[in-house]
């Protein structure tokens, strides 16, 4: 199980961070995901990648958490990890951070499934097939949803620049 955690822990963590926007909760749910995976390892039938199976468990645990706490996805972006920058790049880093915050704010305006697909693709670096399996849709649906979300964000960005 340790080997699985080393190999897939980051994927599961980034997936959870993309849906819950809370680093501490994502870490707790990641740990719980691997515990649940260990307890149900005999039920893994190999019909999908292990990373997809783990993300499905994580998604289920996240929805259980929402059921216990009030079924609202938090939109606080302050828990994003800080990046270390050199003193020469402080200005560039500040501009990049502001642009990232603008994009994240705009992403919160997208439909929840569209936002989830974009997070899984960009932050989780998952394939469209894996995303489709995680959300229970087709690979093509994931592609189209990602494309439409990206287009909406590009249109909004053009509006910001005016």
């Amino acid at each position: 199980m340790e080997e699985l955690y080393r190999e897939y822990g980051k994927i599961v963590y980034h997936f959870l961070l993309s849906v819950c926007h809370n680093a501490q909760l994502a870490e707790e749910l990641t740990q719980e995901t691997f515990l649940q995976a260990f307890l149900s390892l005999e039920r893994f039938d190999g019909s999908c990648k292990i990373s997809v199976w783990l993300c499905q468990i994580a998604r289920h645990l996240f929805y259980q958490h929402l059921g216990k706490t009030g079924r609202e996805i938090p939109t606080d972006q302050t828990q994003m990890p800080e990046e270390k920058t050199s003193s020469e790049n402080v200005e560039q880093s500040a501009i990049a951070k502001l642009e990232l915050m603008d994009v994240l704010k705009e992403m919160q305006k997208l439909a929840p499934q569209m936002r989830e697909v974009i997070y899984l693709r960009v932050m989780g670096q998952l394939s469209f097939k894996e995303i489709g399996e995680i959300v229970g849709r087709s690979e093509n649906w994931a592609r189209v949803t990602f494309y439409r979300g990206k287009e909406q964000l590009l249109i909004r960005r053009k509006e910001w620049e005016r």
Side-chain angles (χ1 to χ4, degrees), residues 2 5 7 21 23 34 38 40 42 54 65 77 79-80 89 91 99 109 124 126 132 134 137 139 142 150 155 158 160:
E2 250 182 74
Y5 184 79
E7 190 170 343
H21 313 292
F34 281 91
F38 177 74
S40 61
E42 73 280 351
L54 291 168
H65 172 77
Q77 296 298 327
Q79 287 90 5
M80 295 300 288
N89 297 327
E91 185 176 340
E99 287 176 355
K109 297 176 185 174
L126 299 177
I134 288 170
R137 298 289 190 101
E139 176 181 351
K150 187 173 74 169
I155 290 168
K158 287 177 185 176
W160 304 335

Side-chain angles (χ1 to χ4, degrees), residues 6-149:
R6 273 188 294 236
E7 190 170 343
Y8 300 106
K10 284 185 180 181
I11 292 171
V12 173
Y13 172 78
H14 285 294
F15 165 72
L16 286 164
L17 186 62
S18 75
V19 295
C20 74
H21 313 292
N22 181 314
Q24 183 179 359
L25 178 60
E27 183 63 37
E28 289 174 18
L29 290 174
T30 298
Q31 297 298 322
E32 182 67 22
T33 297
F34 281 91
L35 173 63
Q36 292 300 317
F38 177 74
L39 295 174
S40 61
L41 195 56
E42 73 280 351
R43 287 187 278 172
F44 177 66
D45 62 5
S47 63
C48 63
K49 290 183 177 181
I50 292 177
S51 60
V52 171
W53 179 64
L54 291 168
C55 286
Q56 288 172 337
I57 294 171
R59 186 175 195 221
H60 178 74
L61 290 170
F62 175 65
Y63 285 126
Q64 280 183 332
H65 172 77
L66 289 179
K68 293 176 186 173
T69 60
R71 289 212 173 271
E72 188 171 314
I73 297 175
T75 58
D76 184 15
Q77 296 298 327
T78 60
Q79 287 90 5
M80 295 300 288
E82 293 286 326
E83 288 186 14
K84 295 182 180 178
T85 59
S86 67
S87 59
E88 302 140 6
N89 297 327
V90 172
E91 185 176 340
Q92 289 176 338
S93 176
I95 291 170
K97 200 171 205 174
L98 289 172
E99 287 176 355
L100 175 63
M101 291 302 292
D102 287 340
V103 170
L104 291 172
K105 285 178 186 175
E106 288 301 316
M107 282 183 67
Q108 292 304 311
K109 297 176 185 174
L110 296 175
Q113 283 191 321
M114 188 175 286
R115 184 173 57 237
E116 183 177 12
V117 167
I118 291 172
Y119 278 129
L120 290 173
R121 181 73 176 158
V122 175
M123 308 271 283
Q125 298 178 340
L126 299 177
S127 71
F128 292 115
K129 183 177 181 181
E130 291 169 324
I131 293 169
E133 289 174 358
I134 288 170
V135 298
R137 298 289 190 101
S138 70
E139 176 181 351
N140 193 48
W141 177 88
R143 285 181 189 279
V144 170
T145 302
F146 179 79
Y147 175 79
R148 289 178 180 166

Side-chain angles (χ1 to χ4, degrees), residues 151 153-162:
E151 287 296 308
L153 290 173
L154 287 172
I155 290 168
R156 290 176 182 166
R157 182 173 180 108
K158 287 177 185 176
E159 291 172 0
W160 304 335
E161 293 173 353
R162 289 182 191 173

